Amino acid sequence: MAKRVLVVEDNELNLKLFCDLLRAHDFVTEPVRDGREAVARAKAFEPDLVVMDIQLPHVSGLELIGQMKRDPRLRAIPIMAVTAYAGRDDEERIRAAGANAYVSKPISVMRFVQEVRALVPDAGGAQFA
């Protein structure tokens, strides 16, 4: 059965890129453009992974990570932060908030897929070479 990924990203081009990449590797995706909807959508969609931008309007990705990690229904779901914040302190802060992985923008397609597969190791489908 295909693994499910909730993608939280307000930039349409990035959202399309992440969803297209994941679908190409046999993941089922659920796009979320507004971070204010992310927690409710995660509960309804029950993803195996959340890919989340950190710089979102209205609510920060760091706040959303915290909300998800405090929620008993969502806390076990791994979260991969994808952000233009690229400094060492930024990565430490994002991981301290509860993110399981961190990929900086602009993304390396290979690294993005490798990180996803590391977080969802039993995902079937096409292999990335």
Side-chain angles (χ1 to χ4, degrees):
M1 190 160 114
K3 296 296 182 173
R4 303 158 64 87
V5 181
L6 183 79
V7 181
V8 184
E9 171 64 70
D10 63 307
N11 178 290
E12 280 297 322
L13 290 175
N14 286 337
L15 183 65
K16 181 174 178 4
L17 172 64
F18 300 159
C19 287
D20 287 350
L21 269 172
L22 291 163
R23 288 182 193 128
H25 293 278
D26 298 324
F27 289 92
V28 175
T29 62
E30 176 74 8
V32 177
R33 290 163 184 80
D34 188 331
R36 295 173 292 190
E37 300 172 11
V39 172
R41 294 278 285 281
K43 288 179 181 178
F45 183 64
E46 299 179 349
D48 297 290
L49 173 67
V50 175
V51 172
M52 183 180 308
D53 184 18
I54 296 300
Q55 295 173 274
L56 296 165
H58 311 297
V59 60
S60 82
L62 293 176
E63 291 173 48
L64 286 175
I65 292 169
Q67 288 176 27
M68 289 182 177
K69 292 301 180 180
R70 287 188 299 275
D71 188 300
R73 289 182 54 198
L74 304 176
R75 74 170 47 120
I77 301 168
I79 298 173
M80 184 172 85
V82 183
T83 184
Y85 290 136
R88 179 154 178 78
D89 290 343
D90 295 317
E91 181 174 358
E92 289 173 5
R93 192 173 36 120
I94 290 166
R95 287 185 183 275
N100 303 84
Y102 167 93
V103 175
S104 62
K105 293 179 187 173
I107 67 162
S108 153
V109 171
M110 183 178 288
R111 174 141 189 263
F112 179 87
V113 175
Q114 287 172 338
E115 290 290 339
V116 167
R117 291 221 178 270
L119 292 169
V120 188
D122 57 344
Q127 295 299 311
F128 190 82

